[in-house]
Amino acid sequence: MLQKKVLDLIQDQINKELYSAYLYVDFANFYEDQGLPGFAHWYENQADEEVEHAMKLRRYLIDSGESVKLEAIAKPDKVFKTIEDPTKAGYEHECYVSSLIHNIYGTALECKDYRTMNFLEWFISEQAEEEKNASDLITRMNLFGKDPAGLQALDKALGKRED
Ligand code: FEO
């Protein structure tokens, strides 16, 4: 059994990860509308990863003898004006998610919940990678996105993302 403070934050994080998936499906939809299926594919894969994160947290709660309670997932409310906007919003969102993970880790530390701290180490590393991927995408967009041929090549490259 987990201490209530830690349990509540992990329950909430499951919701946040599922919201992240929902958000990235929204990004993918935007890019489909823009005629950029490679970008859409990249964000579809990102959405799949977010569901995996939620399921990993769910499994941890179950294996800790806890019941999992699901809450409503909020509607994504970002309005995009340019094809660069989702890449920037994605980076900001990942930084926010990192702060949530760090907050759970800090709370586990306060509670001397060393098992949860150990479990969360995977998420801390994963968030570093998520932030880097999101930041790299902004860099690539800045380098290639202004030129139609460059944008087409970037879209093609992003369409090859496998995981
Ligand atoms: Fe599950 Fe992108 O953080």
Side-chain angles (χ1 to χ4, degrees), residues 17 20 24 46 49-50 53 93-94 97 123 127 130:
E17 298 290 347
S20 299
Y24 290 135
Q46 191 61 35
E49 271 201 11
E50 301 302 351
H53 297 169
H93 184 69
E94 288 305 330
V97 173
F123 280 88
Q127 278 312 121
E130 296 270 79

Side-chain angles (χ1 to χ4, degrees), residues 1-136:
M1 301 292 275
L2 298 172
Q3 294 188 50
K4 190 171 182 315
K5 265 167 56 169
V6 174
L7 173 62
D8 287 351
L9 286 174
I10 296 177
Q11 295 271 21
D12 191 49
Q13 191 63 30
I14 292 174
N15 184 273
K16 296 287 199 302
E17 298 290 347
L18 292 173
Y19 171 77
S20 299
Y22 214 35
L23 185 71
Y24 290 135
V25 171
D26 197 45
F27 287 19
N29 293 342
F30 170 80
Y31 282 117
E32 295 284 3
D33 290 346
Q34 300 298 313
L36 291 167
F39 279 82
H41 171 80
W42 198 91
Y43 281 111
E44 282 165 14
N45 283 25
Q46 191 61 35
D48 289 344
E49 271 201 11
E50 301 302 351
V51 173
E52 281 173 24
H53 297 169
M55 296 304 273
K56 212 179 255 283
L57 292 160
R58 171 185 174 270
R59 176 50 54 194
Y60 181 68
L61 291 189
I62 291 168
D63 290 347
S64 301
E66 304 290 352
S67 297
V68 178
K69 307 218 168 20
L70 297 179
E71 301 292 338
I73 301 169
K75 181 179 172 184
D77 60 355
K78 304 261 184 225
V79 178
F80 303 124
K81 294 199 174 74
T82 72
I83 57 170
E84 289 88 7
D85 286 352
T87 64
K88 292 176 191 159
Y91 177 70
E92 281 169 22
H93 184 69
E94 288 305 330
C95 293
Y96 167 64
V97 173
S98 295
S99 75
L100 297 175
I101 296 291
H102 295 166
N103 182 46
I104 307 172
Y105 190 91
T107 305
L109 176 61
E110 267 173 34
C111 296
K112 295 188 168 36
D113 180 350
Y114 302 115
R115 199 159 64 91
T116 296
M117 289 166 68
N118 183 52
F119 166 72
L120 288 173
E121 273 164 24
W122 181 89
F123 280 88
I124 292 170
S125 303
E126 175 70 4
Q127 278 312 121
E129 195 182 312
E130 296 270 79
E131 284 183 32
K132 182 179 183 319
N133 290 343
S135 168
D136 285 351

